[in-house]
Amino acid sequence: MNLRELAAFLKSRRDRIGPSDVGLPTGPRRRVPGLRREEVAQLAGLSADYYTELERGHNVQPSAQVVAALARALRLNGDERDHLFHLAGRALGPTAQGPTAHVQPALLGLLDRLTTTPAQVITDLHETLVQNELAVALVGRHPPGRGPTGGFAYRWFTAPDSRKLYPPEDHPHHSRVFVADLRAVAARRGRDPEVAGMVAELRRRSEEFADLWDTHEVALRRKDHKRIVHPALGVIELDCHSLFSEDGRQRLLWFAAPPGTEGAAQLELLSGIATGVGVGENADRQEGA
């Protein structure tokens, strides 16, 4: 592990990214050419103090999951990502090479252009990889955990608080959709131990999941109508659209409402809320997937 080179590389990559490149407000008083340290930490799901220690070259040993999160936050290409793993002294094992390690460029390019609608990229197991600030304002920032057990589908059946994002009367619908979608993903992946392990754990922990799994419903979620409970705007009715990567392992989700509807007006108000995201109640909410 080369702490000095790691620190220099992180700073050089941070300097080249403008706030608007990642959906952050520019603000009138910026003393750095690119992102601030705390903004990189926010995008990677890390504390600002931890990232600052990394960039100062102090004796911090980031895990492979942290390195992968930094690669996503700094929009590194494949060669840069591999170099970051090398500097951090981490092998490019399954965690670094799997579908959650690096947002596919085509989806990331589209996400960067969706500046007026909430959007995020997730894996086929509903782990959130990257969000624009409107998505954070709508559904909350994704938690720092990585892997299928950090995904929204897993937490839906194991962490009751995750369900507060939707009205209680809508919960049965979302449960059915999650299970049918996971069955379709399992079929696409074949005998994938990651999916098999996730299903086995959910069957063990959730009677609801086990009962729904045994119905054998199969359907990828390509579009859904949602009612999202927002702490400031109330219930927002939106359509959620999905665009799949070529291999099907990542999805770009975006939320929209027909012009002239109350949902469209609420999305307009959301842009004002987005400028203050990162503090207060909304930043602590769970993300929808």
Side-chain angles (χ1 to χ4, degrees):
M1 181 174 180
N2 190 326
L3 294 174
R4 181 178 296 178
E5 286 295 319
L6 174 63
F9 185 64
L10 288 172
K11 184 179 186 305
S12 71
R13 300 305 89 181
R14 173 169 67 87
D15 287 346
R16 72 175 183 175
I17 302 175
S20 60
D21 296 332
V22 292
L24 293 174
T26 302
R29 297 180 180 178
R30 300 191 68 90
R31 299 179 180 178
V32 294
L35 296 177
R36 299 186 179 103
R37 287 172 175 167
E38 58 267 25
E39 290 170 335
V40 175
Q42 175 182 310
L43 292 168
L46 306 173
S47 73
D49 289 343
Y50 182 88
Y51 179 77
T52 298
E53 292 292 293
L54 274 176
E55 202 174 286
R56 286 177 175 172
H58 291 177
N59 190 23
V60 179
Q61 298 183 355
S63 66
Q65 291 90 340
V66 167
V67 177
L70 286 170
R72 290 194 293 269
L74 293 169
R75 307 297 174 94
L76 303 187
N77 61 34
D79 293 335
E80 292 170 331
R81 180 197 59 203
D82 293 350
H83 183 58
L84 183 64
F85 271 86
H86 170 70
L87 293 176
R90 297 297 177 185
L92 284 164
T95 301
Q97 293 178 330
T100 67
H102 198 59
V103 182
Q104 297 198 12
L107 297 186
L108 188 58
L110 286 172
L111 178 69
D112 287 341
R113 288 164 175 78
L114 294 175
T115 58
T116 60
T117 189
Q120 57 193 25
V121 178
I122 68 170
T123 71
D124 55 353
L125 298 182
H126 297 266
E127 177 195 355
T128 303
L129 300 179
V130 62
Q131 301 168 281
N132 65 17
E133 286 305 304
L134 281 174
V136 175
L138 177 65
V139 298
R141 190 171 302 284
H142 66 80
R146 296 289 180 259
T149 57
F152 191 65
Y154 183 89
R155 296 197 317 280
W156 179 262
F157 293 101
T158 60
D161 282 351
S162 67
R163 299 194 174 200
K164 293 179 180 178
L165 187 65
Y166 302 121
E169 57 270 27
D170 295 352
H171 292 178
H173 165 77
H174 292 296
S175 294
R176 291 192 301 272
V177 168
F178 276 133
V179 174
D181 185 83
L182 183 56
R183 265 203 176 274
V185 170
R188 281 190 167 193
R189 286 208 190 185
R191 296 184 178 181
D192 188 308
E194 186 177 46
V195 179
M198 179 178 173
V199 170
E201 180 70 7
L202 284 173
R203 286 181 66 91
R204 183 183 69 82
R205 295 191 58 181
S206 170
E207 182 178 352
E208 179 191 22
F209 177 88
D211 289 343
L212 287 170
W213 188 259
D214 289 339
T215 65
H216 297 274
E217 294 294 328
V218 184
L220 282 175
R221 190 185 67 182
R222 295 179 172 87
K223 181 180 178 181
D224 201 1
H225 185 75
K226 296 188 173 188
R227 298 193 303 158
I228 294 173
V229 180
H230 191 275
L233 300 177
V235 176
I236 308 176
E237 290 201 34
L238 300 169
D239 292 320
C240 178
H241 304 270
S242 298
L243 177 67
F244 293 75
S245 62
E246 187 174 354
D247 63 5
R249 290 203 171 195
Q250 292 184 8
R251 308 171 184 183
L252 173 65
L253 305 183
W254 71 96
F255 300 86
T261 63
E262 184 179 2
Q266 288 169 307
L267 283 183
E268 289 288 333
L269 294 173
L270 195 69
S271 61
I273 293 174
T275 61
V277 123
V279 294
E281 179 181 1
N282 197 52
D284 295 330
R285 300 170 67 216
Q286 301 290 333
E287 92 281 11

